[in-house]
Amino acid sequence: MSLFNNSQVIGPPLKLSLKTQVTDGNSYRITVAMKLKNGIQQPGFLLALRFLALVFWSFPGARALDNGLAMTPTMGWLHWERFMCNVDCQEEPDSCISEKLFMQMAELMDSDGWKDVGYEYLCIDDCWMAPKRDSKGRLQADPKRFPGGIQGLANYVHSKGLKLGIYADVGNKTCAGFPGSFGYYDIDAKTFADWGVDLLKFDGCHCDSMEHLENGYKHMSLALNRTGRSIVYSCEWPLYMWPFRKPNYTEIRQYCNHWRNFDDVYDSWQSIKNILDWTSSNQKRIVDVAGPGGWNDPDMLVIGNFGLSWDQQVTQMALWAIMAAPLLMSNDLRHISPQAKALLQDKDVIAINQDPLGKQGYRLRKEDNIEVWERPLSDLAWAVAMVNLQEIGGPRFYTISIASLGQGMACIPDCIITQLLPVKRKLGFYQWTSDLKIQINPTGTVLLRLAAN
Ligand code: GLA
């Protein structure tokens, strides 16, 4: 199938200009000019363009933390948004932070298909600790709520084929006021490794200076590495640094496997919108630094809870896939609707999130309350998400020219487009010169995959 189906020159010379930044600090610009004419077969040109695209998208990002982990974004479950700091097991035995809660979640992750689609890390957040360290200065779990200790829980979680994540804080106290790791980084890293922990979420509350924050995050990274155990290192370093100075993301990537940039997610549409706004406003700074081994973390998935409509849940899932975000659900796997479960377990959408090329997507345009986001994928495929932010009226049509996607290269000379969300359906064969007309629900998203024909 040829792109050139007119007998006329169909447009002015097309100029494609690619600019990329690579690790050696140089940037390269490649400019290609052409005239589109019927009858002129230009397979050489098209091949060259595909080759350029391949080279362009294959430049690696900045150097990542060298622990061989998180080559694709981490997937799992994290207790904070849904269960917070509920320590009252007398009154609320089913939702307090206790080993029972984590054992139940582990069992469901194994039995209800979560593990099979990639959700692997079961992560404890704040409020697991006893109020004091033990006589040797080691952190200890609250003995009433975790009678088997963290090691016992890790054994159980491992027996289900899953991995265990834990939480600590770089400062003097955790955000909820439990013992902080300041002054104990080496002991704590060793304790976590001895217990068989596989991921550390390291929070940034109660730090008295920026130096303390930076040095603490670096120190813990090196201490975890020295234990010899593979422990994913999840940081909040940039989030706590932003109010004072601009974070150096190239450096952060050398120490952390993922890093929170922005406020805690809440179970609300406003919160999801705020996170997306922050991310698109800062995309020039944060998108290129993401890649295998190190990811921007826009916080947990709240799908399956109370605050988001169906369309808003679709938006969160689609955009977290575009953003190459860690997929850490915070919900109650014991009580989740079949619809939310199917969305979270959608293999096609997870495949976009986990795409091995590991390039984070970005917002391409915003007009008339519609946002278009896109993400380059392996094999020169692209994911495109279109969000309808208008909160009045019904579903809206939006028409986009295929040639404007993927920096002109999402569909050269043609491609197959599949809609993945809100429901999967083949849209069919498109040419580079085609327009695509899509209908999007208010606060919802249509997620597409464009792939070579
Ligand atoms: C901070 C973090 C949250 C959570 C709480 C726990 O607010 O950003 O993700 O870990 O602390 O206290």
Side-chain angles (χ1 to χ4, degrees):
M1 201 51 83
S2 167
L3 158 69
F4 311 111
N5 52 4
N6 271 324
S7 54
Q8 311 278 316
V9 172
I10 59 170
L14 167 73
K15 244 190 171 188
L16 289 177
S17 181
L18 312 177
K19 189 175 177 220
T20 190
Q21 197 102 39
V22 290
T23 33
D24 61 6
N26 295 320
S27 59
Y28 299 86
R29 186 180 282 283
I30 307 162
T31 306
V32 183
M34 67 180 275
K35 273 202 171 183
L36 304 179
K37 271 189 171 184
N38 182 33
I40 302 179
Q41 287 297 328
Q42 301 191 35
F45 172 77
L46 293 174
L47 274 178
L49 211 50
R50 283 199 152 255
F51 173 73
L52 284 178
L54 197 61
V55 172
F56 174 61
W57 294 117
S58 300
F59 282 130
R63 195 155 63 83
L65 169 59
D66 189 18
N67 63 3
L69 299 171
M71 298 312 282
T72 60
T74 303
M75 290 178 67
W77 185 94
L78 175 61
H79 94 238
W80 185 255
E81 193 288 320
R82 182 64 178 78
F83 294 97
M84 300 189 70
C85 193
N86 185 349
V87 292
D88 189 351
C89 293
Q90 290 278 306
E91 279 297 311
E92 299 185 65
D94 291 333
S95 49
C96 67
I97 306 312
S98 68
E99 66 181 26
K100 190 176 117 195
L101 180 73
F102 292 97
M103 288 163 98
Q104 288 179 346
M105 294 302 159
E107 207 162 319
L108 289 166
M109 280 173 80
D110 180 30
S111 63
D112 278 8
W114 301 102
K115 187 176 82 179
D116 297 340
V117 295
Y119 295 97
E120 187 182 18
Y121 287 82
L122 175 64
C123 303
I124 309 172
D125 207 289
D126 206 345
C127 306
W128 62 271
M129 296 173 195
K132 291 229 158 11
R133 290 174 177 270
D134 73 6
S135 55
K136 294 187 173 141
R138 290 174 303 199
L139 290 169
Q140 44 189 351
D142 183 284
K144 285 222 174 67
R145 292 182 286 120
F146 292 84
I150 300 298
Q151 189 158 20
L153 181 57
N155 290 343
Y156 182 79
V157 167
H158 293 155
S159 77
K160 297 283 171 197
L162 298 165
K163 296 194 154 83
L164 183 70
I166 207 160
Y167 167 100
D169 189 289
V170 71
N172 299 305
K173 280 189 271 179
T174 73
C175 297
F178 290 86
S181 294
F182 182 63
Y184 295 91
Y185 299 133
D186 297 293
I187 295 181
D188 289 354
K190 183 166 182 319
T191 305
F192 298 146
D194 289 347
W195 286 343
V197 161
D198 307 291
L199 177 149
L200 172 64
K201 172 174 173 176
F202 210 35
D203 211 337
C205 275
H206 302 291
C207 240
D208 32 39
S209 70
M210 274 306 101
E211 283 62 45
H212 170 168
L213 184 88
E214 266 185 327
N215 293 337
Y217 271 105
K218 291 181 190 173
H219 191 144
M220 187 50 115
S221 178
L222 299 173
L224 290 172
N225 258 350
R226 276 193 298 269
T227 68
R229 186 170 174 86
S230 290
I231 300 178
V232 172
Y233 187 39
S234 168
C235 300
E236 300 202 33
W237 173 358
L239 166 62
Y240 288 92
M241 182 154 253
W242 267 111
F244 303 98
R245 58 174 116 110
K246 286 182 186 146
N248 176 347
Y249 281 98
T250 311
E251 188 177 42
I252 289 168
R253 180 176 165 80
Q254 286 164 18
Y255 290 94
C256 302
N257 291 120
H258 25 97
W259 48 86
R260 284 271 310 281
N261 294 312
F262 186 65
D263 296 349
D264 293 1
V265 71
Y266 277 48
D267 188 11
S268 77
W269 177 234
Q270 188 59 50
S271 168
I272 301 301
K273 279 193 296 186
N274 291 346
I275 292 171
L276 294 176
D277 276 350
W278 188 92
T279 304
S280 51
S281 315
N282 291 280
Q283 59 188 12
K284 283 215 174 81
R285 198 179 295 278
I286 64 168
V287 164
D288 282 350
V289 83
W295 311 96
N296 291 291
D297 178 4
D299 212 3
M300 294 158 266
L301 293 169
V302 294
I303 295 164
N305 291 325
F306 308 95
L308 300 185
S309 71
W310 164 246
D311 285 292
Q312 293 159 2
Q313 295 179 63
V314 167
T315 295
Q316 192 184 28
M317 192 69 189
L319 272 294
W320 264 235
I322 293 279
M323 292 189 292
L327 297 182
L328 294 167
M329 305 178 282
S330 195
N331 50 17
D332 189 344
L333 301 178
R334 299 164 300 188
H335 308 284
I336 187 163
S337 72
Q339 204 184 23
K341 184 176 170 194
L343 177 61
L344 287 162
Q345 294 194 356
D346 188 314
K347 286 188 184 151
D348 297 308
V349 182
I350 291 173
I352 289 180
N353 175 271
Q354 297 283 300
D355 185 84
L357 184 62
K359 294 271 176 203
Q360 180 173 339
Y362 48 84
R363 194 176 76 185
L364 175 65
R365 92 169 55 122
K366 177 172 184 162
E367 57 177 6
D368 195 16
N369 265 324
I370 302 272
E371 291 194 359
V372 181
W373 294 62
E374 62 180 19
R375 174 177 176 185
L377 303 172
S378 46
D379 299 326
L380 298 179
W382 285 78
V384 174
M386 300 182 201
V387 193
N388 174 7
L389 290 167
Q390 185 166 290
E391 295 177 31
I392 186 169
R396 290 169 70 206
F397 283 105
Y398 183 69
T399 302
I400 191 157
S401 79
I402 300 277
S404 70
L405 297 172
Q407 316 200 353
M409 289 182 294
C411 194
I412 277 193
D414 46 44
C415 60
I416 299 284
I417 304 187
T418 311
Q419 176 181 299
L420 302 181
L421 290 175
V423 282
K424 184 169 181 177
R425 65 194 174 102
K426 287 218 160 81
L427 300 188
F429 176 81
Y430 283 78
Q431 294 189 319
W432 189 75
T433 47
S434 320
D435 281 342
L436 176 67
K437 191 174 174 189
I438 287 291
Q439 198 179 22
I440 323 164
N441 289 346
T443 69
T445 294
V446 169
L447 179 67
L448 308 171
R449 186 173 197 279
L450 284 70
N453 179 22

